[in-house]
């Protein structure tokens, strides 16, 4: 009798816990509702200083041969005033505005008007109309995946111009680098402001909007989840992929062309940076459909963080190694170059295989093989805002059994390789690995906080099964 009573009590408690978990996860797992003081302080700091950081890095290269300390020393010792540095900085020019306008318009045309044809002849490539993940409001968006073809068309035209038509110099990007920075800032801020306004006045999907009540937080982290113009122009997919990531490889090519123009040769370090970052960019477009399942698209709302970040931060700071090598051409010895190549390729391999394992596992609902074996996983459930319960699975084998974010570890190895290609004379090219370590560690914590609210006790079982985040045995 007592045993029966205990069992009934346990059942009731379990039911109550489940209700609580469900309540806690409803509407909570998309994004933090309450803004703590640390988040607010970080956001205010970034809104004020991120544009200055970008300017400082680019200006240091243009005026101080990429030394980060020299401008500060000049200012502190009174050798130079802020106004001297500012007066030497190139202003916005109509030429740069024209180039930038044509560039963005061209990418919009490629994105909107040419349905994907690559998936028709490239075996294994997933393109065309694809579905995103279920949003917290239970919506499933459709996307036209045609980034690979946009990248190919853009690069074919670039090389055709460089080697045949000569309409413009391949150094055009380097030659207008600072005037283009002002254009990118104008677009980044305009897009973020329009996203904020739309969120208040005519959101694409009102149920997927989140208002924290804090203006700065909402501006930074976004209100709308998937802002769109019409049926197909998706802000997140467009601004993250193009113009920013398509431009990444073109920017590097322009830097290589500048090295050739200045020194009569392209150094092996510049080739390494072009090749390794080229693989990363190409991988992004080859796997654009997979990108629909990443945090940027599945969980982040569209605010200044993505809008301005994609237009300014990404093209200007992710390409610092190439820019640095224009000012400091580094010719690496064969062993050093080979070591960097191996590190970069190994990092890329881990990054790709880890991402692929999760993607395959989720796409096939666990009916696949990971490292030749049936995958191991933890069953979990979560609830959307309308109270619908969904079931999911968390993979615990393959690289996902080594650490909970081993894809980030691979990414960090690749990032370190780009930086090492620049030698050890200056800290500036190492900004990327420092930034990526902060970004991905923070992303780990942010994602785990969200997953914990989403999956509740199931997430605890998962973290017990896979105890480390990035490095097995360490963190
Ligand atoms: P992930 O691709 O790791 O996605 C995390 C999500 O995957 C979680 O929110 C969860 O979503 C799901 N998930 C977590 N653990 C498991 C598991 N064990 N099994 C199945 N699903 C799981 O993260 P990101 O989107 O951040 O990163 C994608 C890639 O992009 C990474 O390789 C990263 O390195 C790279 N990246 C690069 C950046 C750059 O600037 N260069 C910036 C950011 C990322 P769910 O709610 O569906 O369960």
């Amino acid at each position: 009798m007592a045993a029966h009573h205990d069992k009934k009590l346990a059942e009731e408690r379990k039911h109550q816990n489940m209700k609580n978990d469900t309540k806690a996860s409803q509407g909570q797992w998309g994004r933090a509702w309450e803004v703590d003081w640390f988040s607010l302080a970080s956001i205010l700091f970034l809104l004020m200083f991120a544009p200055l950081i970008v300017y400082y890095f680019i200006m240091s290269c243009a005026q101080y041969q990429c030394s980060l300390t020299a401008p500060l020393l000049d200012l502190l010792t009174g050798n130079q005033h802020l106004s001297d540095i500012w007066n030497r900085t190139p202003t916005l020019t109509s030429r740069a505005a024209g180039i930038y306008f044509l560039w963005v318009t061209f990418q919009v045309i490629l994105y909107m008007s040419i349905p994907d044809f690559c998936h028709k002849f490239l075996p294994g490539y997933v393109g065309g109309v694809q579905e995103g993940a279920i949003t917290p409001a239970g919506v499933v968006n459709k996307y036209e995946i045609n980034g690979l073809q946009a990248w190919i068309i853009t690069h074919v035209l670039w090389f055709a111009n460089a080697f045949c038509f000569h309409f413009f110099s391949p150094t055009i990007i380097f030659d207008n680098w600072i005037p283009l920075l002002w254009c990118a800032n104008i677009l980044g801020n305009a897009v973020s402001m329009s996203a904020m306004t739309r969120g208040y006045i005519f959101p694409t999907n009102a149920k997927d909007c989140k208002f924290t009540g804090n203006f700065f937080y909402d501006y930074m982290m976004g209100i709308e989840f998937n802002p769109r113009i019409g049926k197909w122009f998706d802000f997140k997919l467009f601004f993250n992929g193009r113009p920013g990531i398509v431009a990444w490889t073109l920017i590097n090519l322009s830097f290589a062309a500048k090295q050739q123009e200045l020194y009569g040769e392209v150094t092996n370090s510049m080739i390494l940076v072009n090749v390794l970052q080229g693989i990363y960019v190409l991988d992004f477009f080859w796997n654009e459909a997979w990108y629909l399942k990443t945090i940027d698209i599945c969980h982040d709302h569209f605010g200044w963080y993505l809008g301005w970040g994609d237009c300014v931060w990404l093209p200007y700071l992710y390409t610092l190694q190439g820019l640095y090598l224009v000012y400091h051409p580094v010719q690496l010895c064969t062993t050093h170059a080979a070591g960097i190549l191996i590190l970069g390729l190994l990092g890329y391999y881990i990054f790709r295989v880890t991402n692929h394992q999760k993607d395959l596992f989720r796409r096939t609902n666990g009916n696949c093989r990971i490292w030749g074996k049936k995958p191991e996983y933890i069953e979990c459930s979560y609830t959307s805002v309308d109270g619908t319960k969904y079931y999911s699975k968390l993979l615990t084998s393959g690289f996902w059994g080594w650490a909970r974010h081993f894809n980030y570890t691979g990414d960090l190895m690749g990032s370190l390789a780009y930086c090492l290609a620049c030698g050890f004379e200056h800290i500036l090219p190492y900004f990327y690995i420092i930034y990526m370590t902060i970004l991905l560690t923070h992303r780990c914590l942010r994602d785990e906080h969200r997953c914990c609210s989403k999956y509740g006790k199931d997430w605890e079982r998962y973290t017990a099964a896979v105890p480390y985040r990035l490095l097995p045995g360490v963190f």
Side-chain angles (χ1 to χ4, degrees):
M1 180 72 185
H4 178 72
H5 181 70
D6 282 355
K7 203 173 156 200
K8 208 172 153 205
L9 262 180
E11 289 266 299
E12 270 170 15
R13 220 173 286 136
K14 196 173 148 199
H15 184 64
Q16 191 56 40
N17 277 345
M18 221 174 99
K19 263 170 61 187
N20 288 343
D21 278 354
T22 303
K23 230 172 148 185
S25 62
Q26 271 183 27
Q28 288 282 334
W29 51 272
R31 192 180 57 160
W33 279 102
E34 281 175 21
V35 184
D36 57 82
W37 70 267
F38 180 73
S39 306
L40 184 60
S42 314
I43 277 160
L44 290 174
F45 176 84
L46 284 173
L47 279 171
M48 281 189 292
F49 292 106
L52 283 179
I53 293 172
V54 177
Y55 170 72
Y56 189 82
F57 274 82
I58 304 305
M59 177 279 297
S60 301
C61 282
Q63 299 187 22
Y64 289 88
Q65 293 288 309
C66 300
S67 165
L68 286 178
T69 47
L72 272 181
L73 282 176
D74 254 2
L75 290 172
L76 290 175
T77 54
N79 238 353
Q80 297 273 315
H81 298 289
L82 270 178
S83 56
D84 300 326
I85 293 179
W86 184 248
N87 290 338
R88 280 200 302 270
T89 304
T91 52
L92 176 63
T93 59
S94 52
R95 180 171 162 75
I99 296 170
Y100 198 74
F101 177 77
L102 283 178
W103 166 248
V104 177
T105 310
F106 181 55
Q107 290 306 316
V108 172
I109 293 169
L110 290 180
Y111 178 60
M112 291 299 288
S113 3
I114 314 183
D116 185 69
F117 56 76
C118 285
H119 71 279
K120 296 195 174 145
F121 64 90
L122 286 175
Y125 170 68
V126 182
V129 177
Q130 299 293 326
E131 288 189 344
I134 306 166
T135 70
V139 176
V140 177
N141 282 304
K142 283 192 163 55
Y143 298 84
E144 172 70 41
I145 297 296
N146 60 1
L148 183 66
Q149 91 183 5
W151 186 87
I152 293 171
I153 293 172
T154 308
H155 284 71
V156 166
L157 290 178
W158 174 271
F159 282 108
N161 173 70
F163 293 107
C164 303
F165 303 125
H166 309 292
F167 289 142
F168 55 84
S169 161
T171 61
I172 191 169
I173 303 178
F174 178 89
D175 296 337
N176 292 278
W177 199 220
I178 295 185
L180 286 171
L181 173 63
W182 308 134
C183 303
N185 267 288
I186 292 170
L187 181 68
N189 284 307
V191 162
S192 315
M193 278 181 219
S194 86
M196 175 98 176
T197 316
R198 285 170 53 101
Y200 276 108
I201 304 173
F202 49 96
T204 309
N205 185 330
K207 277 194 183 158
D208 263 326
C209 286
K210 285 205 175 163
F211 297 91
T212 62
N214 187 295
F215 175 83
F216 295 108
Y217 189 89
D218 287 350
Y219 182 59
M220 177 77 164
M221 300 309 288
I223 292 173
E224 274 212 81
F225 194 37
N226 292 301
R228 285 187 167 206
I229 297 175
K231 200 172 164 202
W232 293 105
F233 189 86
D234 185 86
F235 277 51
K236 267 197 221 166
L237 191 65
F238 178 77
F239 283 103
N240 199 14
R242 339 41 178 307
I245 301 188
V246 178
W248 189 346
T249 32
L250 288 187
I251 294 166
N252 279 343
L253 286 169
S254 185
F255 292 158
K258 193 70 193 177
Q259 249 199 2
Q260 177 72 39
E261 182 187 287
L262 291 174
Y263 313 105
E265 62 162 359
V266 178
T267 59
N268 59 1
S269 54
M270 181 66 98
I271 295 172
L272 269 175
V273 167
N274 267 265
V275 169
L276 290 176
Q277 294 189 348
I279 293 174
Y280 193 75
V281 168
L282 200 50
D283 174 276
F284 174 85
F285 287 115
W286 182 270
N287 295 292
E288 201 180 15
W290 151 81
Y291 177 65
L292 299 179
K293 306 286 154 69
T294 63
I295 292 174
D296 285 350
I297 299 273
C298 290
H299 309 308
D300 285 344
H301 289 234
F302 189 87
W304 190 84
Y305 164 72
L306 285 177
W308 180 86
D310 293 339
C311 291
V312 181
W313 187 269
L314 189 153
Y316 276 84
L317 295 187
Y318 284 26
T319 55
L320 276 178
Q321 290 82 30
L323 181 67
Y324 173 86
L325 292 170
V326 173
Y327 293 94
H328 298 268
V330 173
Q331 194 64 35
L332 301 164
C333 70
T334 314
T335 330
H336 190 167
I340 289 169
L341 185 64
I342 291 168
L343 177 69
L345 292 179
L346 183 64
Y348 170 71
Y349 172 80
I350 293 175
F351 162 84
R352 173 59 15 236
V353 172
T354 314
N355 284 323
H356 175 70
Q357 286 179 345
K358 186 189 84 174
D359 185 46
L360 178 71
F361 171 74
R362 279 279 170 98
R363 256 191 299 119
T364 58
N365 196 23
N367 295 313
C368 59
R369 297 191 85 76
I370 303 286
W371 288 346
K373 289 193 223 142
K374 284 193 100 181
E376 291 163 27
Y377 55 84
I378 282 175
E379 300 265 9
C380 49
S381 64
Y382 62 96
T383 315
S384 63
V385 183
D386 60 6
T388 315
K389 194 164 180 182
Y390 295 92
Y391 294 90
S392 191
K393 295 181 173 75
L394 293 164
L395 179 63
T396 55
S397 62
F399 279 132
W400 293 87
W402 289 21
R404 300 200 290 272
H405 300 274
F406 212 60
N407 49 350
Y408 292 177
T409 311
D411 208 345
L412 289 174
M413 288 164 70
S415 307
L416 180 63
Y418 316 152
C419 303
L420 289 171
C422 298
F424 302 103
E425 219 180 297
H426 282 280
I427 184 81
L428 181 134
Y430 286 83
F431 166 81
Y432 190 65
I433 180 66
I434 298 169
Y435 162 73
M436 283 297 279
T437 307
I438 297 171
L439 174 88
L440 292 180
T441 311
H442 178 250
R443 209 172 165 90
C444 247
L445 303 176
R446 197 158 64 92
D447 185 45
E448 299 214 341
H449 176 73
R450 192 193 61 81
C451 285
C452 187
S453 328
K454 181 175 176 180
Y455 297 122
K457 297 248 174 317
D458 295 332
W459 184 256
E460 284 170 25
R461 287 195 294 129
Y462 171 60
T463 55
V466 186
Y468 293 101
R469 289 185 174 110
L470 287 175
L471 270 186
V474 182
F475 174 67

